[in-house]
Amino acid sequence: MLAGARVSPEKLRDDIRAVKARTDRPFGVNFLIAPPGEGNEDVESVQRFLDRFRERLDLPPGETDVSLPPSPLPEQLEIVFEERVPVLSVALGDPGELVERAHDEGALVSAMVTTVEEALRVVERGVDVVVAQGAEAGGHRSTFEVGPGGDVPLVGTTALVPRVVDAVDVPVVAAGGIADGRGLLAALALGASGAQLGTRFLVARESGAHPAYRERLLAGVETDTLVTHVFTGRPARGLRNHLAEEYLRDGPEPLGWLLHSAAAGDIYGAAKAADDGDYSPLLAGQGLGLLGDEQAAAEIVEQLVEEAGNALSRLEGRGL
Ligand SMILES: Cc1cc2nc3c(=O)[nH]c(=O)nc-3n(C[C@H](O)[C@H](O)[C@H](O)COP(=O)(O)O)c2cc1C
C-alpha cells in the first residue's frame, strides 16, 4: 500500500510507476479523506502556546494568518485512476460516492473503520474490503465523526475484528497492535482475511522515520503511547514526548484537523530536521516492545509469516 497523503501529485505518479515497474501484483494507494475539521478558532492562542516549543528550537514566533492550500486530493485521485491502480484505500471518513467512481474506473476500494456502525456504512456504499482498526493502532484514529475535545470510541482489535467479520459480507483486514506472527495468526483466528501493520514497519530499513524516532520506537514498550488530538487536531496514537505531555497539560484546544498541522508545521519540520524526538508527533501503536531489530521490509514480512506458522504449529501440537 503506497501512502498518498502528504505526497505531491507529481511524486505520487512517480511512486505508482516505480511500484508498477517492480511488480505485476496488486497494490493500492491510500488517502486520508477527512475534510478540514472543526476546532479552536483562536489561532493566536494556539500559536502563542506553541511559541514555547519554537523558542527551544530557535524558531521565530508562529504566524497567525495560517490558511490551508486547496486539497490535492481531487488531482491525486485522477492520477490513481489514470495509472489504473488496482486498489484505492481510504481512511478517516466515509468514502461516499467515491466508491462508485473508483468502481467505474476498475479499482477496488478498501476503507478503514473503527466501529461496526462505520463498517456497515462503508459496505452499504459498496466498498470491497473493510479494514477494522482497533484502539491499539498507531497513527490517526479512522473514526468518521470525532466528538467534542477529540472524543472517539476506542474498541480494541480483539473485540472489534470478530464483530465486524460477523456484520459484513466482504473481506476484513485487522489492524492495530499486530507486530509479530502471533498477532497475525490471532487476527486470522478472529476471522480476518489479512492484517495491516504500521508500527512494525516504522523500523524497517526503508522507513522514513528519522533516527531519534527509531530509537524511541525500539526502546519503547506497550505503555509508552497515548491517543490525543493535540498533534494534528484529530485523534492519533503516538509516543509520549514533550510535545504531547506539555500540550495536554497546559495547551489550549487545538485548531481543527489540517489547520493545526499547518500552524505547527514549522515546529514539526524543524524538530525532524534536527533529529529531535520531542517536538513533533511520533506516531506509533501499542505493539512497541515487539518490534525486533531494524530489518528490510521484505524480511519483516517473511519473519511474520514464519512466526505465524510456528505459532500455529504450537497450537496444533496442543491438539487445537
Ligand atoms: C506512522 C504511521 C502513519 C500512518 N499513516 C497512515 C496513513 O497515511 N493512512 C492510513 O490509512 N493509515 C495510516 N496509519 C495507520 C495504519 O493504517 C494502521 O491502522 C495502524 O498502523 C495499525 O496499527 P499498528 O500501528 O499497531 O500496526 C499510520 C500508522 C502509523 C504508525
Side-chain angles (χ1 to χ4, degrees):
M1 193 65 69
L2 260 182
R6 295 178 291 275
V7 177
S8 71
E10 301 70 41
K11 168 110 181 14
L12 181 61
R13 195 186 291 276
D14 289 348
D15 287 352
I16 292 170
R17 290 188 176 172
V19 173
K20 287 201 285 197
R22 285 168 175 76
T23 182
D24 293 329
R25 303 184 69 177
F27 69 99
V29 174
N30 168 272
F31 296 103
L32 306 178
I33 58 170
E38 287 172 16
N40 187 351
E41 286 173 9
D42 183 1
V43 179
E44 175 82 26
S45 71
V46 171
Q47 290 294 48
R48 296 300 68 87
F49 173 75
L50 290 172
D51 283 348
R52 64 166 72 185
F53 303 128
R54 293 190 174 94
E55 260 175 48
R56 293 172 214 171
L57 293 163
D58 283 329
L59 293 171
E63 307 279 345
T64 46
D65 59 342
V66 193
S67 58
L68 285 177
S71 166
L73 188 61
E75 198 185 335
Q76 290 169 321
L77 287 170
E78 288 316 309
I79 291 170
V80 166
F81 297 141
E82 274 166 34
E83 293 291 329
R84 316 296 302 163
V85 172
V87 180
L88 171 67
S89 153
V90 298
L92 277 57
D94 179 347
E97 288 164 11
L98 187 53
V99 179
E100 205 179 317
R101 171 79 207 284
H103 285 168
D104 288 347
E105 298 285 351
L108 297 177
V109 182
S110 150
M112 189 153 73
V113 304
T114 61
T115 61
V116 169
E117 195 185 328
E118 289 168 352
L120 291 170
R121 194 160 140 191
V122 297
V123 167
E124 201 168 305
R125 297 292 192 192
V127 305
D128 306 281
V129 175
V130 171
V131 180
Q133 185 197 41
E136 299 92 321
H140 285 93
R141 303 295 311 144
S142 200
T143 307
F144 294 0
E145 278 102 28
V146 176
D151 188 36
V152 281
L154 287 169
V155 185
T157 305
T158 310
L160 180 66
V161 170
R163 290 262 303 139
V164 174
V165 166
D166 287 348
V168 303
D169 54 3
V170 299
V172 174
V173 172
I178 302 167
D180 66 13
R182 293 169 295 183
L184 169 58
L185 182 66
L188 299 177
L190 293 172
S193 302
Q196 180 162 310
L197 284 70
T199 303
R200 181 71 184 86
F201 288 97
L202 284 174
V203 295
R205 273 205 282 282
E206 297 88 340
S207 142
H210 55 95
Y213 188 0
R214 284 172 188 265
E215 269 168 36
R216 290 182 188 215
L217 290 164
L218 290 170
V221 295
E222 73 284 359
T223 47
D224 286 340
T225 68
L226 79 179
V227 174
T228 176
H229 67 319
V230 304
F231 293 132
T232 64
R234 232 182 186 274
R237 186 179 288 283
L239 282 161
R240 292 173 197 278
N241 59 3
H242 273 304
L243 170 72
E245 294 196 324
E246 273 189 68
Y247 202 118
L248 282 167
R249 194 181 64 227
D250 302 327
E253 175 66 17
L255 307 174
W257 162 245
L258 297 178
L259 196 61
H260 192 88
S261 309
D266 59 329
I267 302 173
Y268 297 173
K272 193 173 166 187
D275 193 30
D276 183 324
D278 269 319
Y279 301 111
S280 69
L282 302 180
L283 301 182
Q286 291 179 326
L288 295 180
L290 295 170
L291 303 187
D293 294 326
E294 279 175 301
Q295 292 163 294
E299 287 167 8
I300 294 176
V301 174
E302 280 163 20
Q303 185 178 324
L304 286 164
V305 172
E306 193 188 322
E307 286 170 355
N310 291 342
L312 180 60
S313 303
R314 277 199 304 277
L315 292 179
E316 284 168 346
R318 285 163 49 186
L320 285 168

